[in-house]
Amino acid sequence: MTPHGQLAVRRPADVPLDSLLRLVRSCEELVTGVATCTREDILLEAGLPGYEDNSWCLTTPGGEVLGWAVLTPRGDTLQAGLTALPGRHGEQAARVLLCLLLDRADELEAQHGRSYAVSVGGVLGGDPVVPAVLQEAGFVPEAVTGQYDIDLTEPLLPLLLPEEAVLRGAGPGDTAELHALHLRALGAGPRTRDAAVFGASLARLREIGGVAKVVEVSGQPAGYALAQGSPSEGRVLDVAVAPAFRGLGIGLALLTSVLGELRALGAVRALAGLDTGDLTDHRTLSRVLPVQGFRVVTRFHRTGG
């Protein structure tokens, strides 16, 4: 445990999971007015390869968690998450944790003899702390996505697929095909180029009761969707469609299918992260799905040195 003034750096393994959940939900509520993070979100993050060596928390003397950072190698990019509670210690917490992230990036570069770009995702629009600290350190906004809060108590669209298309559950034997789709799909989301990391993330999703669907057209993989559920809330993690099959309604069919699965698991709402944060697209999606809320999320990027 390393002190920073009155604050201390601790490993997340030494911090109760509920404390991490409380931190993220508090940040969400302060910034957007709505808390959406679930216990399953934290479990999924904590199950990523290398989590124990590449994650840190910042706590008060009383044990309150003020910040959390995690780094995951994904090919030539180190994908990071950075959460700092707005308030008196917010900027200090963000700066300390960002320094730990960047120091670890330097260590990994030295170990592997290569340069890494660092990408910090999941930054909420309106966050008064993290964007400013990132930009001070040379990060620039790279991509904006939209998170749509969907009411699962309302009727969903009927499932419509093009001819010769088959929708089915994706199992461990589909991992290689899903990874190939993930790399080919168009969109603003980060790519996990390391097949082992992608496979480990899918395995972790299955362990916590997640949902994975794949669409095949004439026997060819055309798209997939990943989601996770909880007793009341669900989350659509990824919807990807191969470029050759875009415009056929496959993405909407996949989204509708996993939303139905989440409702069957007991969720009454779902947060869906999609590629755009554009207000026009938000209004379009609201015409076909019961969207009850919307927020913008930004990913920041800094190239390797």
Side-chain angles (χ1 to χ4, degrees):
M1 186 166 66
T2 306
H4 289 266
Q6 293 184 324
L7 306 181
V9 176
R10 301 175 66 185
R11 289 294 185 183
D14 300 326
V15 173
L17 185 145
D18 285 344
S19 295
L20 294 177
L21 178 60
R22 188 161 51 248
L23 165 71
V24 178
R25 289 183 66 86
S26 295
C27 289
E28 289 178 327
E29 192 160 11
L30 284 169
V31 173
T32 70
V34 179
T36 64
C37 184
T38 67
R39 186 180 182 87
E40 287 72 21
D41 292 329
I42 305 297
L43 287 171
L44 189 61
E45 190 74 44
L48 293 174
Y51 175 77
E52 291 298 329
D53 295 327
N54 300 307
S55 57
W56 307 265
C57 289
L58 204 62
T59 66
T60 66
E64 180 188 4
V65 181
L66 297 181
W68 178 33
V70 59
L71 192 69
T72 305
R74 296 181 184 271
D76 56 0
T77 298
L78 302 175
Q79 181 66 41
L82 176 60
T83 302
L85 187 67
R88 186 161 66 95
H89 297 294
E91 288 190 8
Q92 179 188 1
R95 289 193 178 99
V96 168
L97 290 168
L98 182 58
C99 283
L100 290 168
L101 287 171
L102 295 178
D103 285 348
R104 181 59 176 151
D106 289 343
E107 291 175 2
L108 291 171
E109 288 186 341
Q111 286 177 17
H112 300 148
R114 59 184 298 185
S115 178
Y116 288 103
V118 181
S119 181
V120 180
V123 181
L124 293 173
D127 186 325
V129 176
V130 173
V133 171
L134 289 173
Q135 289 175 316
E136 280 179 5
F139 285 79
V140 296
E142 181 185 30
V144 176
T145 60
Q147 286 187 338
Y148 300 82
D149 193 352
I150 299 171
D151 184 357
L152 296 183
T153 66
E154 294 290 328
L156 296 172
L157 289 172
L159 189 62
L160 299 174
L161 285 168
E163 291 185 14
E164 306 299 326
V166 175
L167 173 68
R168 60 174 178 81
D174 297 305
T175 298
E177 289 185 344
L178 265 59
H179 186 232
L181 280 170
H182 171 75
L183 294 178
R184 298 203 317 271
L186 303 176
R191 295 288 181 266
T192 302
R193 301 198 176 278
D194 189 316
V197 174
F198 184 85
S201 297
L202 279 180
R204 181 61 172 170
L205 182 63
R206 286 192 293 272
E207 287 174 7
I208 63 172
V211 177
K213 294 281 192 174
V214 62
V215 167
E216 295 176 336
V217 177
S218 300
Q220 298 297 314
Y224 72 87
L226 308 176
Q228 67 187 51
S230 73
S232 61
E233 298 181 3
R235 183 157 301 198
V236 179
L237 302 171
D238 193 13
V239 178
V241 179
F245 297 101
R246 290 176 69 93
L248 301 178
I250 289 174
L252 183 58
L254 282 163
L255 179 58
T256 302
S257 175
V258 294
L259 289 175
E261 294 275 356
L262 293 175
R263 181 162 61 186
L265 291 171
V268 297
R269 59 183 291 206
L271 196 68
L274 303 177
D275 272 340
T276 178
D278 185 87
L279 185 58
T280 302
D281 289 326
H282 167 215
R283 290 171 178 158
T284 299
L285 190 65
S286 298
R287 295 191 190 106
V288 294
L289 289 173
V291 176
Q292 60 183 2
F294 169 76
R295 65 186 189 183
V296 171
V297 179
T298 303
R299 187 169 79 251
F300 289 79
H301 188 79
R302 194 177 84 164
T303 56

